[in-house]
Amino acid sequence: MDTSKFELPAIYNFPPFFTRQPNLQTYETQLDHWRKLILDYCKFYKIWALSLNGLPLATGDSITNGDGDGDEGDADDDDADDDDEDFEISKNSLFQNNKINRSLKNDFVLEIYKKMIDNGESGWINDKNHKLGVLIYWHSLEEWANIIMDWIVNTGQEGAVLTLYELRKGELSESQEFSGMNLQLLLNVMDVLSKEGRVRILKDEDGSVAGVKFGG
Amino acid sequence: MPANRGLASFDNASQQKHKYQDLGQQLLREQRDKLETQLQVFQNALIAFKKQYNEELASNPQFRAEFTEICRSFGIDSLVVSSSLNGERIDEEEKYNQLGLRIIELCKLTKNLNGGIILVDELMTLINSDNGFNSAMKLKINERDILRALRELRSLGDELQLLVIGHRNYIKSTAQEISSDQNTILSAADILGYVSIGILRDNFKWKTVRCKTNLDELVSHGVLWVDSQGEDHEVKYWITSWISKQD
């Protein structure tokens, strides 16, 4: 068995799965299956963010400032040393099943995303510009906060100041699940930790985040 | 051998890191294997225990309840335990009781997907794919078993009903009645996975309104799913048993 490829559930090849169901109960079931599929799929391929048409977005080394028309999925990623693997799947959207020639309509995708956001399983990349797509929280922000804090404690880094780059791309964190995390997602996690007083966010003169001091 | 000095020591560090990671993974794998073996041993012990104290288990409800609880708390399927004791009359009853419970559970679990009408074949696949830790003890429930368990459940009420559509057996767990028109629709849908107004009109010489009314009703019961992306732009109505029928 090929373990490097995500195993799509059988319902993915069920043609009506791609049409919004008129029966409310059926619709709720359909939504649940899509939510779960998106979370599993993104977790498997380590996809942190999806465009509105279901394409994986780059990890967002340059913070999107809301001017891009991110609906094409090729998020601006001008950081030359960013070694994002060229996703083979990125040519195909999860919301487009070529085998049965069915795809999700945009308004249905938005309904799914909204449901995930309500559930704390997703968040807009930019609250003011939904076109940029969504972050996918296959672990909740709270879970990510704990995962990162556990790692800090286990590696004796309490009290240390780390840059966001070190957390995302540092050699020390390379084997960690959060390695390579989307920048905006990491900022959201740091917000959670900061509100709980578990970290202090250090800012540059221009207001951008320079680093994080762990341990309050 | 002298350790690498200066810059070379960095190479060493990263090598060591990899070694630690490999070691870590190996340990995890070993632990998992060990745990699996232990659980298998435990499951076999439970079965042996059950054989030995069978009569007492049968006659003492409290003892039986505690035993079932132990099985459950270890994630060991009581259906697997009870059906591994074939040939002993007292366990037959137990086996079908457990099977009946499993059928009720699965009907409930899948009701929102299929509107409460499930193919017996599909139910069988679901039950048999769910085994304990011991792969040598795979469940082999057949259609006869399911029908018998269903008959035994009858004494508790008629919540579950056997429904024959076309030549196939279904279990109906919804209170909704299926009319003969709807029965015709579902058996036609079993062939391609779907029907459409056109298909019904052509094959059964029904008026459009008769097709539409019945299809809408089946959709509103959650039995059929709507697909509006068909090649010929005609809405297709699919049955969910098609999901598990693909290769």
Side-chain angles (χ1 to χ4, degrees), chain A residues 45-169:
Chain A
Y45 286 116
K46 259 198 155 191
I47 296 168
W48 306 98
L50 287 176
S51 75
L52 291 192
N53 42 24
L55 294 170
L57 297 174
T59 58
D61 276 357
S62 51
I63 278 284
T64 43
N65 44 22
D67 61 350
D69 44 355
D71 53 349
E72 272 318 304
D74 45 2
D76 37 341
D77 188 16
D78 41 16
D79 204 344
D81 71 348
D82 187 16
D83 52 353
D84 268 348
E85 314 89 299
D86 222 0
F87 283 118
E88 211 184 302
I89 41 165
S90 66
K91 288 171 231 125
N92 296 315
S93 162
L94 180 62
F95 301 153
Q96 165 99 37
N97 185 340
N98 293 326
K99 189 173 152 198
I100 56 169
N101 203 14
R102 297 287 188 281
S103 59
L104 284 186
K105 297 267 181 300
N106 285 342
D107 33 348
F108 190 16
V109 171
L110 281 179
E111 283 178 41
I112 297 170
Y113 282 164
K114 280 182 185 140
K115 177 81 181 178
M116 292 179 75
I117 290 172
D118 286 348
N119 286 1
E121 295 159 340
S122 174
W124 298 112
I125 290 179
N126 185 322
D127 273 329
K128 296 186 190 74
N129 187 353
H130 294 180
K131 274 190 181 165
L132 293 175
V134 288
L135 301 165
I136 303 294
Y137 307 153
W138 71 76
H139 287 303
S140 68
L141 291 180
E142 190 61 41
E143 280 166 3
W144 278 124
N146 288 331
I147 288 168
I148 293 179
M149 277 317 283
D150 283 350
W151 175 73
I152 291 287
V153 171
N154 290 337
T155 49
Q157 297 187 86
E158 290 156 291
V161 174
L162 294 179
T163 63
L164 296 178
Y165 185 88
E166 280 173 306
L167 282 166
R168 298 172 54 227
K169 309 256 163 128

Side-chain angles (χ1 to χ4, degrees), chain A residues 13 18 21 23 29 102-103, chain B residues 112 219-220 226-227 229 246:
Chain A
N13 288 320
F18 290 81
Q21 292 304 305
N23 175 321
T29 307
R102 297 287 188 281
S103 59
Chain B
N112 286 339
V219 169
S220 77
V226 175
D227 168 28
Q229 297 179 46
Q246 314 157 72

Side-chain angles (χ1 to χ4, degrees), chain B residues 22-153:
Chain B
D22 286 348
L23 193 65
Q25 272 164 8
Q26 196 189 331
L27 280 172
L28 270 178
R29 232 187 348 261
E30 276 171 15
Q31 268 176 6
R32 203 188 48 212
D33 290 349
K34 227 184 238 166
L35 206 62
E36 234 163 65
T37 319
Q38 279 174 5
L39 280 167
Q40 273 187 26
V41 169
F42 194 74
Q43 186 173 325
N44 290 337
L46 277 175
I47 290 168
F49 180 86
K50 181 147 200 260
K51 268 190 183 140
Q52 195 178 345
Y53 294 99
N54 214 356
E55 270 171 46
E56 211 173 329
L57 278 167
S59 60
N60 184 344
Q62 199 193 337
F63 187 30
R64 192 170 56 226
E66 275 166 17
F67 179 77
T68 312
E69 190 50 49
I70 290 177
C71 290
R72 207 190 344 257
S73 65
F74 280 89
I76 287 171
D77 192 335
S78 42
L79 178 57
V80 173
V81 174
S82 54
S83 55
S84 64
L85 296 163
N86 281 334
E88 289 163 58
R89 204 163 287 162
I90 194 103
D91 288 296
E92 285 274 289
E93 197 189 323
E94 168 88 5
K95 174 181 162 185
Y96 288 107
N97 282 342
Q98 293 288 349
L99 184 55
L101 287 178
R102 181 60 53 84
I103 292 172
I104 293 176
E105 194 179 284
L106 286 169
C107 283
K108 257 195 196 143
L109 212 65
T110 58
K111 195 167 183 170
N112 286 339
L113 186 78
N114 56 33
I117 294 183
I118 188 168
L119 201 60
V120 169
D121 280 348
E122 199 182 339
L123 204 57
M124 217 157 62
T125 315
L126 285 173
I127 292 172
N128 286 334
S129 66
D130 188 19
N131 13 357
F133 295 96
N134 193 337
S135 47
M137 242 173 41
K138 260 199 175 127
L139 275 172
K140 284 192 205 77
I141 300 295
N142 58 34
E143 180 146 4
R144 256 212 324 266
D145 288 331
I146 291 190
L147 297 184
R148 174 163 166 196
L150 204 59
R151 273 200 304 278
E152 313 249 322
L153 281 176

Side-chain angles (χ1 to χ4, degrees), chain A residues 10-23 25-26 29-30 33 99-105 171-172 174-175, chain B residues 14 17 21 112-113 193 218-231 236 238-244 246-247:
Chain A
I11 200 172
Y12 187 71
N13 288 320
F14 188 50
F17 189 47
F18 290 81
T19 297
R20 191 190 186 286
Q21 292 304 305
N23 175 321
Q25 189 113 68
T26 313
T29 307
Q30 186 183 21
H33 280 275
K99 189 173 152 198
I100 56 169
N101 203 14
R102 297 287 188 281
S103 59
L104 284 186
K105 297 267 181 300
E171 204 185 316
L172 256 177
E174 211 182 316
S175 60
Chain B
S14 94
K17 199 183 94 185
Q21 278 174 358
N112 286 339
L113 186 78
L218 285 169
V219 169
S220 77
H221 294 168
V223 178
L224 292 178
W225 284 49
V226 175
D227 168 28
S228 56
Q229 297 179 46
E231 296 70 30
K236 292 186 167 122
W238 291 78
I239 45 166
T240 53
S241 60
W242 191 85
I243 299 173
S244 57
Q246 314 157 72
D247 44 17

Side-chain angles (χ1 to χ4, degrees), chain B residues 210-223:
Chain B
R210 183 173 174 191
C211 306
K212 185 92 176 84
T213 315
N214 280 300
L215 288 170
D216 283 348
E217 199 166 318
L218 285 169
V219 169
S220 77
H221 294 168
V223 178

